Amino acid sequence: MAGIKLQTFRALRERNFRLFFVGQVLSVSGTWAQRVAQAWLAYRLTHSSLYLGYVTFAASAPAFLLTPIAGLLADRVERRRILVWAQFFAMLQAVALAIATLSGAITANWLLLLSLVLGIVNAFENPTRQSFYTEMVETEDLSNAIALNASLVNAARVIGPAVAGGLVALWGEGICFAINAASFLAVIVALLMMKVKPVAKVSGRGKNWKMLREGFTFVRGTPMLAAMLFNFGIFNLAGSPYQTLLPILAAERLLTGPAGLGWLVSASGIGAIASSLVLASRLNTRGLPMASFIASALAGVALVVLGFSRSLALSLVMMLIVGAGYSTTLAATQTMMQTWVQEVMRGRVMSFYSLIFLGVPPIGSLIAGIAAARFHATVTVAIGGLLCVAGALYCARSEGTTAGS
């Protein structure tokens, strides 16, 4: 048992990853506090569910235009430097939001603008961070480091909203923004304390478009990676919008109210943490593509059941499966991309992952909101689950994927 535990946390043997992990614990917790407070602030200022959608979209839309450019930048410039500057600008955004809110000067338009600023920062930070793992850990610990980071993010998703809710109730939204601003200092210090190994960088002026195409050509020419990205994209487009519609299911199908909604969200987070730790205990990537397709299919089935369920107990079990399925799909896709890509184009290739992770869910939520208004949330969630199943089965049957895995 002790050996299994040590194996599960083996990436923490690396000093650089320990620094990164501690910084992430504080930063991700602050990020979740800000997300919850920002959503509450948006609704308090406007009392408009549509404006909530605008704020969410503003924080994600830049990913579509900027992540490919950010990926190229990560292949040309020292990644740690990009990350330090990204954390610095994210800290400034949180400081501005905290000052404006605590002073009472915040308006709906300023909130929307600051959300857009954060979206631009995240568009550069995410693909750079995804490609930075190989500079922190050895190749054999790469998949473990990714899985451990996923478990950290999912744990924050369970704890963060509850803590932020209490802080907002006691002192208002501004305190959450101030805490988030302070949390970025931990990441900046951790990054500066690291001793990273040098990696090859691409060079050449006037070749940016050609180099951007190289990343796309690599993914398209690697059937296993293309299939996993397609599956991940379908899940983010059709499956992840259940989070937007969950309050409706809790209120109208399960008749539970806010408390039941909190349990459902927590169940999803617990499932995600459990699956992340299982992935962290793996010693290699053998069978990981098929595991991601199976996880997506099972999560899709769970979404269908969730959509029509009238039992809180059954819905909680389904949420466990959905959370585990999404976490497995996310971590497996990232791990295989990191494992197969060449170092000189790691940033460009990982930018496609970041584009899907950041940019696709808001579009899915928008489509789901329109569909739910016409067909009801029950049918919308169920159809999304069926699309997840169909996408996973299509990828699993792909001859190229079978050969690659």
Side-chain angles (χ1 to χ4, degrees):
M1 183 64 70
I4 294 176
K5 290 181 179 178
L6 289 175
Q7 202 63 47
T8 301
F9 299 98
R10 61 186 182 276
L12 291 173
R13 296 176 301 188
E14 305 271 0
R15 177 180 179 273
N16 286 339
F17 187 70
R18 286 200 304 274
L19 289 169
F20 173 81
F21 193 84
V22 172
Q24 282 289 96
V25 167
L26 298 174
S27 180
V28 173
S29 299
T31 296
W32 271 105
Q34 174 156 319
R35 284 183 183 178
V36 172
Q38 183 171 282
W40 184 261
L41 177 61
Y43 188 75
R44 180 171 67 82
L45 291 173
T46 66
H47 294 284
S48 168
S49 58
L50 182 61
Y51 190 82
L52 276 170
Y54 288 157
V55 171
T56 302
F57 187 76
S60 304
F64 275 101
L65 297 175
L66 298 179
T67 48
I69 299 173
L72 175 60
L73 187 66
D75 285 338
R76 302 192 70 161
V77 180
E78 183 189 359
R79 291 164 187 157
R80 177 169 61 171
R81 187 188 312 170
I82 299 173
L83 287 174
V84 169
W85 279 108
Q87 300 298 321
F88 176 73
F89 284 118
M91 181 176 66
L92 290 184
Q93 188 269 356
V95 168
L97 195 53
I99 292 174
T101 304
L102 290 170
S103 67
I106 191 68
T107 65
N109 288 336
W110 274 111
L111 178 59
L112 190 63
L113 178 61
L114 288 171
S115 296
L116 182 63
V117 169
L118 184 59
I120 294 172
V121 174
N122 287 338
F124 281 90
E125 190 273 345
N126 193 275
T128 306
R129 174 163 45 84
Q130 302 298 343
S131 57
F132 189 59
Y133 280 94
T134 54
E135 298 181 40
M136 294 188 292
V137 299
E138 299 298 329
T139 303
E140 59 269 21
D141 292 331
L142 183 60
S143 61
N144 180 255
I146 293 170
L148 286 178
N149 187 65
S151 66
L152 179 156
V153 172
N154 288 315
R157 189 174 70 177
V158 175
I159 301 170
V163 174
L167 291 175
V168 170
L170 290 173
W171 296 296
E173 304 92 353
I175 189 65
C176 293
F177 304 144
I179 290 173
N180 187 41
S183 73
F184 286 112
L185 289 173
V187 184
I188 293 173
V189 171
L191 287 168
L192 294 176
M193 289 178 64
M194 289 182 186
K195 297 179 180 179
V196 297
K197 54 186 178 183
V199 296
K201 295 294 178 183
V202 294
S203 60
R205 295 182 178 180
K207 298 180 180 179
N208 290 337
W209 180 245
K210 178 182 177 181
M211 287 188 284
L212 284 172
R213 283 206 319 267
E214 286 176 351
F216 176 77
T217 301
F218 177 82
V219 174
R220 186 181 63 180
T222 311
M224 182 268 293
L225 293 186
M228 294 190 77
L229 267 181
F230 178 78
N231 179 59
F232 186 51
I234 291 294
F235 204 141
N236 275 278
L237 181 68
S240 63
Y242 81 88
Q243 300 174 70
T244 301
L245 303 177
L246 200 57
I248 300 176
L249 295 180
E252 298 183 9
R253 296 288 298 183
L254 303 176
L255 306 176
T256 59
L261 177 61
W263 295 336
L264 291 168
V265 174
S266 294
S268 174
I270 291 169
I273 294 170
S275 68
S276 299
L277 292 176
V278 170
L279 286 176
S281 66
R282 291 176 63 102
L283 299 179
N284 54 59
T285 60
R286 185 178 303 167
L288 204 51
M290 188 58 67
S292 73
F293 302 145
I294 293 173
S296 296
L298 290 175
V301 173
L303 283 172
V304 175
V305 176
L306 176 69
F308 291 102
S309 171
R310 290 187 177 276
S311 165
L312 178 59
L314 176 61
S315 296
L316 288 172
V317 174
M318 294 303 103
M319 288 296 291
L320 284 168
I321 297 173
V322 171
Y326 183 74
S327 180
T328 299
T329 303
L330 181 151
T333 302
Q334 185 183 351
T335 297
M336 293 309 299
M337 292 183 71
Q338 295 272 22
T339 302
W340 279 58
V341 68
Q342 302 170 12
E343 187 61 48
V344 291
M345 64 172 63
R346 186 176 300 278
R348 283 166 285 171
V349 170
M350 292 310 299
S351 72
F352 291 102
Y353 170 90
S354 297
L355 189 152
I356 293 173
F357 176 69
L358 293 174
V360 171
I363 294 177
S365 295
L366 181 62
I367 295 173
I370 295 172
R374 184 168 184 178
F375 304 111
H376 198 270
T378 291
V379 176
T380 303
V381 171
I383 290 175
L386 290 174
L387 289 174
C388 290
V389 174
L393 292 178
Y394 172 79
C395 293
R397 287 171 62 90
S398 168
E399 183 177 351
T401 302
T402 304
S405 61

